[in-house]
Every structure is written in C-alpha cells, then in structure tokens.
Amino acid sequence: MTYLTSCSTSGLADRYAKAIQNIADAERDAQVTAGSTKLIVVSKTHPAELVLELMQLGSSDFGENRDQEASPKAAAVAQSVAEARANQTFSGPDAAWHFIGQLQSNKVKSVLRYASSIHSLDRPSLLKALVKELATQETKNRLPVFIELNLTGQPERGGILPENLIEFATEVCSHDTLKLEGVMGVAGLDVEPAFDFDRIRKSSEQLQTIAPDAKYISAGMSNDYEIAIRHGATHVRIGTSITGKREYSV
Ligand SMILES: *Cc1c(COP(=O)(O)O)cnc(C)c1O
C-alpha cells in the first residue's frame, strides 16, 4: 500500500470520519439499523493513491462513472492491495467498484472486468448489452444492478420514468444473470431533495411488490445524503465532501 506523508492527506481522514458520523446520525433519525447504510466513496477524477488511503481508513466501496478512468484505476488499486497484503501492511477487504455513470454499451465488456455492481441501468439497450455479455461469462455470480430512475419528467433525459419502472423491472428480473438490487436516483436541482427522495421511495415500494428482494435505494450525494437516508436511502454515493474538490467536473 502506498503511504503518503501526513501533510498530503490534507484532512481526508477527518472528512471520512465526519461522513461516517453524519450517516450514523441520519440512521438514528430514520430508525434504521446502525451501520446498515452502504457508503460508496465516489473517487472519480481522483488517483488510485486516494483510494488506497481511504482503504487504509476502512473504506472498501468506491464509485466511478467513466470506464476509461475506472479501468486502469481499479487495476492499479488491485495491484497495490496485493503487494500490501504480501508485505502485511494491509489486511482489509478488496475494493468493490460501483459503476454509477452512464454506461455505453460498447464499454460493458470492460466494466464487467472490475465492477461489482451497476447503479445506472437506465435503458433497454444497456440491459440488452449486459445480458448479452454476461451470457458469454463463466461466472455463476449474478451481477447486482440498480435501475436508474428519471425524475425529471422529461423522457429524453436518462433513466427509467417511474411509470415505466414495473415494465422494465419485469424484463430485468427475467434474466438470471442479473440480480436486481433496487432503484437509483439523483434529486433534481430545482426541487427540495426530500421531495425527490420520497418519489424514489414510492417507486421502491412499488418495485418490491413484484421483486421483494429489490429493496435497496441508491440515493444521496455530498449535498443531500443525510436527507436521503432519512427518506429511505440504503446506499449513498459521496464524492467531494470526502475526497475534496474534483479538478474537473464530470
Ligand atoms: C459524481 C457523482 C456523485 C458524487 O457527487 P458529490 O456531489 O461529489 O458527492 C454521486 N452520484 C453520481 C451518479 C455521480 O456522478
């Protein structure tokens, strides 16, 4: 594992600890089991070294949204972890990579080499590409996926409109190479986050009438994750408030 000098961490440990504390407080308010929320640290635009530092702090789930960036980063992290295990400077679990961005069908093969779940299953053509690629793979493990909701009301935007969720979910559930985990959503910029998180929760409840195990909700980012947890989120995707500012926005 790469050790960075303490000055280069520039508050990373503090910010990570603060997020864990905020999540615990929100869990208490929501009256859900302490520690049940999955914290995914969004590491996009940040180097493998930052991921390794976070792993030393106890984090193991990371979110990425571009294959070109995530693929080499996942490989670099895996290699460093293997080395650190060999010289006994790290004993935690492997990194789990959550793909959270729009996934082009021609990138599916690459993403499936490292991703442990896809949070952005947002259209029938991606479903088709995933199913086709998974059919060629030896593994018997089902790929965990979340259906991304389109809360904007504009059909041309990415994601599945809430009114089409059941139809699309039925199709997803018909494939035994996929494991439908639940729904994913991003609160709109022009609404109260709580309003959109309640819509996501309603969609989740609807989904569970046909897929009782698909009970998870991936929602909440740096600015709204505590609200998201209070409104039912089980997986939060936190970037900047832990990692610090990104050099460029994607
Ligand atoms: C970048 C990103 C995040 C993290 O955003 P922050 O505001 O930095 O916490 C979460 N979810 C998705 C889908 C993202 O693209």
Side-chain angles (χ1 to χ4, degrees):
M1 183 80 39
T2 324
Y3 282 103
L4 300 177
T5 56
S6 54
C7 58
S8 76
T9 46
S10 61
L12 182 66
D14 291 345
R15 293 192 300 268
Y16 179 66
K18 182 83 183 119
I20 303 262
Q21 183 60 53
N22 290 340
I23 289 169
D25 292 345
E27 284 175 335
R28 206 172 315 111
D29 290 348
Q31 298 185 311
V32 297
T33 310
S36 61
T37 307
K38 169 95 63 194
L39 165 57
I40 296 161
V41 182
V42 178
S43 49
K44 65 188 184 197
T45 80
H46 292 285
E49 285 72 23
L50 180 120
V51 173
L52 296 167
E53 272 190 83
L54 284 160
M55 290 180 80
Q56 291 287 11
L57 296 171
S59 169
S60 57
D61 290 274
F62 300 95
E64 289 283 338
N65 68 345
R66 287 173 63 240
D67 177 58
Q68 300 91 308
E69 179 186 341
S71 177
K73 196 184 297 184
V77 167
Q79 191 182 346
S80 294
V81 165
E83 286 165 13
R85 285 227 178 83
N87 59 35
Q88 301 185 343
T89 55
F90 181 72
S91 58
D94 285 328
W97 298 95
H98 300 258
F99 200 86
I100 63 171
Q102 188 164 55
L103 175 51
Q104 294 164 274
S105 296
N106 64 357
K107 295 287 195 283
V108 161
K109 192 186 180 82
S110 173
V111 167
L112 290 182
R113 290 198 189 100
Y114 57 88
S116 64
S117 78
I118 309 285
H119 289 237
S120 44
L121 175 49
D122 60 355
R123 61 194 193 282
S125 61
L126 176 59
L127 172 61
K128 209 169 148 192
L130 283 169
V131 166
K132 188 169 168 219
E133 182 55 35
L134 287 165
T136 70
Q137 302 202 347
E138 306 261 296
T139 173
K140 293 277 175 288
N141 296 334
R142 307 171 99 184
L143 176 72
V145 294
F146 292 79
I147 295 175
E148 180 171 354
L149 293 167
N150 174 353
L151 301 171
T152 68
Q154 299 166 271
E156 69 278 11
R157 300 290 288 273
I160 302 296
L161 293 167
E163 60 264 36
N164 298 333
L165 174 62
I166 295 302
E167 185 189 350
F168 187 61
T170 304
E171 173 70 21
V172 174
C173 290
S174 72
H175 297 286
D176 61 8
T177 48
L178 297 172
K179 181 168 175 285
L180 182 57
E181 296 278 70
V183 288
M184 180 272 216
V186 176
L189 295 173
D190 48 359
V191 295
E192 280 292 311
F195 178 78
D196 273 353
F197 294 138
D198 282 337
R199 292 172 65 206
I200 296 171
R201 177 153 63 181
K202 283 205 188 76
S203 288
S204 169
E205 285 165 1
Q206 225 187 357
L207 173 61
Q208 289 174 64
T209 64
I210 63 150
D213 292 337
K215 59 183 182 232
Y216 298 107
I217 297 176
S218 170
M221 321 195 337
S222 287
N223 290 333
D224 56 19
Y225 67 92
E226 294 154 275
I227 305 168
I229 292 169
R230 292 192 181 97
H231 291 262
T234 60
H235 292 54
V236 290
R237 309 176 308 268
I238 307 181
T240 46
S241 72
I242 292 177
T243 62
K245 277 218 174 66
R246 289 184 285 272
E247 308 238 312
Y248 55 97
S249 59
V250 279

